[in-house]
Amino acid sequence: DTLWELAIAEVKKRENPDDDDVKPGEVWEKSILFMGNKNGGKTTIILRCLERDESPKPTLALEYTFGRRARRHNTPKDVAHFWELGGGTSLVELIRIPITSHNIRSFAVVLVLDLSKPDELWTTMESLLQVTRNHVNKILTKLEKTNPEVAAEIKQRMWNNLQRDHPDCALVDPFPIPLVIIGSKYDIFHEFDSEMRKIISKTLRFVSHYYGASLVFTSKSEALLLKARALINHLAFGYDKSKSVSVDPSKPLFIPAGLDSMSQIGPPPASDSDLGKMRANTPLELWKKVFEKTFPPKSFCDLQDTKDPAQDIQYAEYEVDVMRAQKNQELEQYKRNASKSWKEMDFDSD
């Protein structure tokens, strides 16, 4: 290699630290889990990223697809695994299937939040990120015993988006794996009252910065979808990370991870007297109380997906449905018999 080639390689290595383990000729393999509001536009975003001209269909549970791209001419195509969690928050436990100790180093999460439903926004975000974080932390705890170097590497990467001298290092709590937050249906959100838009935008800026995540607002607009696609392609295929920033609340937000700050975001959108009355143990809890005062959340039960896909007529199969009905009758009979047996059992009084 010439001196210039070595210099170029070093610059690329510094700009894309995730490329360190990918040697020339090797295949880059990444995994991304899309989750968020039901009917929030996750499938549409995935199809656009993969450049597939298909009509999106409802996601029943956990669906998988993949994409392949070549980084350079005459090189092996890299692979990105795309997982999509359907049902909003009702099937969140399924995240254990795609996120494992084997792929945790190359895994990322995309959280799609429906901007047109602010009363569901915080509950959906909190539920999905909390369960995901707990699962990832369990994997890291096990890795600390079996492969401490990998565990240490993942924990260090959490802070890669923030410069060492960033003034907010003590105020944030980065998500353990790369995270992108997408605010979907911006076209509807744009029709909201300006003060409502400011509160939602400011809150999502804080949440994204707090978790060390990238934030982008999108809709069916081609221009906005391209911005979301740029962030996802960075995670999936190692494309260059965008350095542009848009923080104007009257326009779609676009803020790559690490390029925002608490001083630019400002305090929670509430009066000093209201803030003084709110008891909170963390900045995140304070922002939650302020946000939910303006947008009272739906109950968790209301966010559950109660529709049974087995009853959907588009999936009807006569022989299968007859057998299912028979098994349901057998199950009900078993429950009745078990209930009788349970009531007749004698228990020790001690």
Side-chain angles (χ1 to χ4, degrees):
D1 292 339
T2 67
L3 182 61
W4 282 113
E5 288 172 335
L6 291 172
I8 291 171
E10 181 62 23
V11 170
K12 287 184 176 179
K13 182 178 178 181
R14 292 181 180 181
E15 291 181 346
N16 300 289
D18 290 343
D19 292 355
D20 291 354
D21 300 326
V22 182
K23 300 176 182 177
E26 288 187 348
V27 173
W28 166 299
E29 195 167 344
K30 295 286 184 174
S31 299
I32 301 178
L33 173 63
F34 288 75
M35 56 187 185
N37 291 94
K38 184 186 176 186
N39 298 323
K42 299 182 292 296
T43 306
T44 299
I45 294 170
I46 292 174
L47 291 174
R48 187 64 190 86
C49 287
L50 297 176
E51 298 180 348
R52 293 181 185 171
D53 187 16
E54 304 174 19
S55 298
K57 298 178 181 178
T59 304
L60 290 179
L62 183 66
E63 296 192 1
Y64 167 82
T65 188
F66 69 93
R68 301 177 70 208
R69 301 272 172 82
R71 269 172 287 166
R72 290 176 291 275
H73 185 62
N74 290 332
T75 59
K77 287 188 175 181
D78 298 323
V79 180
H81 306 280
F82 288 76
W83 296 86
E84 181 184 357
L85 179 69
T89 60
S90 63
L91 302 172
V92 67
E93 295 301 326
L94 290 179
I95 60 118
R96 298 176 182 178
I97 296 173
I99 309 177
T100 68
S101 57
H102 300 292
N103 64 14
I104 190 70
R105 292 178 69 191
S106 58
F107 212 99
V109 170
V110 174
L111 176 65
V112 181
L113 299 174
D114 189 338
L115 295 175
S116 70
K117 299 177 180 177
D119 56 348
E120 297 181 14
L121 192 149
W122 194 285
T123 306
T124 298
M125 174 197 69
E126 185 177 56
S127 174
L128 293 172
L129 291 186
Q130 187 173 34
V131 173
T132 305
R133 184 168 209 160
N134 290 342
H135 176 62
V136 171
N137 285 339
K138 286 180 181 178
I139 292 176
L140 291 177
T141 299
K142 291 180 180 178
L143 280 177
E144 285 175 345
K145 299 176 182 178
T146 59
N147 199 334
E149 292 183 0
V150 171
E153 175 194 328
I154 294 172
K155 289 185 176 181
Q156 179 57 43
R157 282 185 183 179
M158 292 165 53
W159 296 93
N160 280 353
N161 288 320
L162 278 185
Q163 298 177 355
R164 292 182 180 180
D165 58 348
H166 197 290
D168 298 338
C169 282
L171 303 174
V172 298
D173 187 16
F175 206 67
I177 54 180
L179 174 66
V180 170
I181 297 178
I182 296 179
S184 64
K185 302 187 181 179
Y186 178 79
D187 50 337
I188 300 175
F189 170 78
H190 188 60
E191 301 300 322
F192 284 7
D193 173 77
S194 61
E195 282 304 312
M196 291 175 62
R197 293 202 310 271
K198 285 182 182 178
I199 294 173
I200 296 171
S201 297
K202 197 172 183 179
T203 300
L204 286 180
R205 280 184 65 186
F206 169 80
V207 169
S208 298
H209 185 57
Y210 183 80
Y211 283 126
S214 297
L215 175 65
V216 60
F217 283 1
T218 190
S219 68
K220 293 181 180 179
S221 159
E222 187 67 19
L224 295 184
L225 280 171
L226 282 174
K227 288 192 172 185
R229 181 185 170 193
L231 288 176
I232 295 168
N233 278 339
H234 170 68
L235 297 177
F237 301 107
Y239 286 16
D240 290 342
K241 187 177 179 181
S242 175
K243 299 289 175 61
S244 66
V245 177
S246 175
V247 297
D248 186 344
S250 66
K251 299 178 181 179
L253 297 183
F254 182 81
I255 312 172
L259 299 185
D260 211 341
S261 67
M262 295 296 186
S263 59
Q264 291 178 318
I265 296 169
S271 65
D272 292 341
S273 59
D274 285 341
L275 289 176
K277 297 175 184 176
M278 295 178 180
R279 296 183 178 180
N281 296 320
T282 65
L284 188 67
E285 189 176 336
L286 179 62
W287 278 82
K288 175 183 178 180
K289 288 180 180 294
V290 172
F291 184 82
E292 292 188 341
K293 183 177 181 182
T294 305
F295 304 104
K298 284 188 176 182
S299 67
F300 187 77
C301 292
D302 290 339
L303 296 178
Q304 298 296 310
D305 183 13
T306 56
K307 183 179 179 181
D308 184 358
Q311 306 301 322
D312 195 323
I313 58 173
Q314 68 173 316
Y315 304 115
E317 291 186 48
Y318 177 75
E319 294 179 353
V320 174
D321 293 340
V322 168
M323 182 57 69
R324 180 182 177 88
Q326 178 183 329
K327 292 299 181 182
N328 284 340
Q329 291 178 356
E330 292 174 0
L331 177 60
E332 290 302 319
Q333 184 61 45
Y334 172 80
K335 288 180 179 178
R336 286 193 290 269
N337 293 339
S339 178
K340 291 178 182 178
S341 300
W342 181 265
K343 291 176 181 178
E344 292 171 359
M345 291 178 66
D346 293 326
F347 294 93
D348 294 334
S349 57
D350 53 317

